[in-house]
Amino acid sequence: MIKLRLMRFSRISSKLGNGNKATPPREKDCRGTAEIQWELRPGGMLVQKRESNISAGEGFITITVSTVSQSHEISIEATSTFGELKMILSVVTSFEPREQRLLFKGKERDDDEYLHMVGVREKDKVVLLEDPAIKEKKMIITNPTPTITV
C-alpha cells in the first residue's frame, strides 16, 4: 500500500522573512529577476512579449543532409519548403530535384511542405535518397541489354 502525503502550496507570511508583512510574488523569467512584459495580440489574447525581433520559425537553421555515402551541412531558412531544399541539394549533389526523395523522421516529405511546420530544427538530420524508378531508368539507358539474334 502506498501512502500519499498531502502537500499544500500556499505561502505563510511568517516564512517570508519580513515579519507579518506579506509581499506580492514577483514575476520572474528563466534568466533572472526581470519582470515579464505582456502584449495584447490583435485577436485580444494577452501573451508574453518576445524579446527578439525574430518570431518562431524565422531565421536560418543548419541541417545535416545524409545520402548513402556522404553527409552535407546545409544552411537554409526555417520557413523554406522541402522543394527549395531540393533545389539547393541539386547544386551540392548530382541529383536533379525530381530524382530526390527527402525523408524526415522516417517519412517522405512533399515539395510543398514547410520545414518549420514539419518540425525541422537546428542540427536535425534529413535523409536524401535517389528515386528508385529514375535510378532504374538510368541503368537501362546506360547499360542496354544485349539483344540476342537468331
Side-chain angles (χ1 to χ4, degrees), residues 13-104:
S13 62
S14 64
K15 290 185 180 180
L16 289 176
N18 59 355
N20 293 333
K21 297 178 183 176
T23 58
R26 294 172 58 192
E27 298 179 33
K28 297 180 183 179
D29 62 3
C30 61
R31 290 177 299 279
T33 59
E35 291 187 19
I36 296 175
Q37 295 181 359
W38 299 95
E39 67 176 318
L40 188 62
R41 292 281 171 92
M45 183 182 290
L46 185 66
V47 295
Q48 184 177 351
K49 191 171 187 177
R50 294 185 184 129
E51 290 188 17
S52 65
N53 293 334
I54 300 174
S55 62
E58 290 184 4
F60 281 87
I61 58 172
T62 302
I63 58 175
T64 303
V65 180
S66 297
T67 61
V68 175
S69 60
Q70 297 177 346
S71 180
H72 304 283
E73 294 284 326
I74 306 290
S75 291
I76 191 170
E77 286 188 51
T79 55
S80 299
T81 62
F82 280 92
E84 293 169 352
L85 178 59
K86 284 183 178 183
M87 294 297 286
I88 293 171
L89 288 171
S90 67
V91 174
V92 176
T93 63
S94 62
F95 301 137
E96 292 294 321
R98 62 182 175 83
E99 299 173 354
Q100 300 173 9
R101 295 291 176 253
L102 293 176
L103 301 173
F104 179 68

